[in-house]
Amino acid sequence: MARKNTDIRQEEIKQAVLDIIFTDGLKKLSTSNLAKRIGMSEGSIFRHFPTKQDIIISIIEDVQNDFIGQLRIIANSSLPPIERLQKFLCATVNYLTDNKGITMLLFSEASHNNDAALKSSLQQIFNNQKQLVSKIILDGIALGEWDESIPVENVAMLYMGIPVSLNIDLILRGGEFHADNFCSKMLQLILKILKK
Amino acid sequence: MARKNTDIRQEEIKQAVLDIIFTDGLKKLSTSNLAKRIGMSEGSIFRHFPTKQDIIISIIEDVQNDFIGQLRIIANSSLPPIERLQKFLCATVNYLTDNKGITMLLFSEASHNNDAALKSSLQQIFNNQKQLVSKIILDGIALGEWDESIPVENVAMLYMGIPVSLNIDLILRGGEFHADNFCSKMLQLILKILKK
DNA sequence: TATCTTTGTAAGTGATTACTTACATACAAT
DNA sequence: ATTGTATGTAAGTAATCACTTACAAAGATA
């Protein structure tokens, strides 16, 4: 087969991982199937990643950089808190619906594996989102826009339920979804909680 | 080894499944490990269940009967809606914290497997909860206690986020949790949404 | 007591797993 | 042109998987 650089091959492999998970389920994610999907030999995969686990870890790092990075920019922007919250929520919903393979991977890996490093990465992804939401809410309270007596930690937890249960829904129903309405409807509910 | 009836053995096997998942992760759930945990031979397992998959299915049926059954009684009771909602939420939180093995199993199985019957069972568990919550809310609205303009479907979805994200938290953090505060704090947030 | 069904086990089965080894060749640097 | 390194493959490896087979014995029924 044609030769390509490791970085290109790594991307191909990671894409194939997500592809298989979404179309066939995590059970079918073997190095053998992975090689078939890309059209290369099984041995070649181990030229570009030392172990199968390292492929998963690399994907989770991508999520940290791309997804959480994007959310961090939104949360720290100078927009009014209400607009930040709206952008934040919609960005999350869009990411989840656009990357179904990734979300299934995160879910399953969390309960499937007992690897400490992996679990800690997943915990970070979850907690980072919670902290960024808390920041937006606290900013809104500081500006006098929202009720200062609300328990911010609990609202953030309730907020996190939105993407997480959306996730479950996506996994169970297999994909079809109408993001626009969902995003703004959920925002309105959260805003009612935040209202003075 | 001492002989026991199939029904007793089936319970032992199912308990061992949940035990392994919680202590060692789903990856270690092999028929070989299962037999070791119980202290019986691997072949004996297949005397009491035709396949490994059937053990999982039987556990999910237990969840339907025990957990959803309990929630159904609460939702259909003649208590005031606000009390039903409180009992409903606390029963869910307690079940999740008491049965960590089960919740991990449901999560993982949903994304791991592509078995249609299994996925449909999991979907039913999720949807039944949503429907029961919707019923309580609609009853409250009919009694004039809550805002009739709220989108019930979306509140139910937001509500479902509570147990689901609690679940994630339990999986990632490994167990320790203070249920009492959580239960009532979350209820207050939902009530603020429902308020006229 | 004799027989039949249920429950148990040890030792297999072939399939699949993640990963390795030995070797070939493309391509960049000298 | 020569050499060294990165990328490729086919054919392994031992371990593990879910499950089966052949046979033994417990316990109920006759």
Side-chain angles (χ1 to χ4, degrees), chain A residues 13 31-32 41-52 55:
Chain A
I13 292 169
T31 48
S32 156
S41 71
E42 199 176 345
S44 216
I45 288 174
F46 292 93
R47 284 265 177 246
H48 306 295
F49 284 104
T51 69
K52 185 187 162 193
I55 307 175

Side-chain angles (χ1 to χ4, degrees), chain B residues 96-161:
Chain B
L96 294 184
T97 49
D98 289 348
N99 298 276
K100 297 179 188 94
I102 285 188
T103 65
M104 289 190 210
L105 175 71
L106 297 184
F107 265 70
S108 193
E109 213 60 34
S111 35
H112 195 256
N113 234 295
N114 258 12
D115 181 280
L118 194 64
K119 228 165 197 170
S120 148
S121 294
L122 295 168
Q123 203 174 341
Q124 261 195 11
I125 289 175
F126 188 75
N127 285 340
N128 282 343
Q129 283 180 264
K130 243 193 337 192
Q131 281 157 16
L132 291 172
V133 171
S134 294
K135 185 207 177 327
I136 297 177
I137 296 175
L138 287 169
D139 285 355
I141 292 174
L143 287 171
E145 292 179 17
W146 291 328
D147 180 6
E148 62 186 352
S149 74
I150 51 167
V152 177
E153 162 79 12
N154 289 295
V155 177
M157 185 78 168
L158 186 65
Y159 172 93
M160 281 306 295

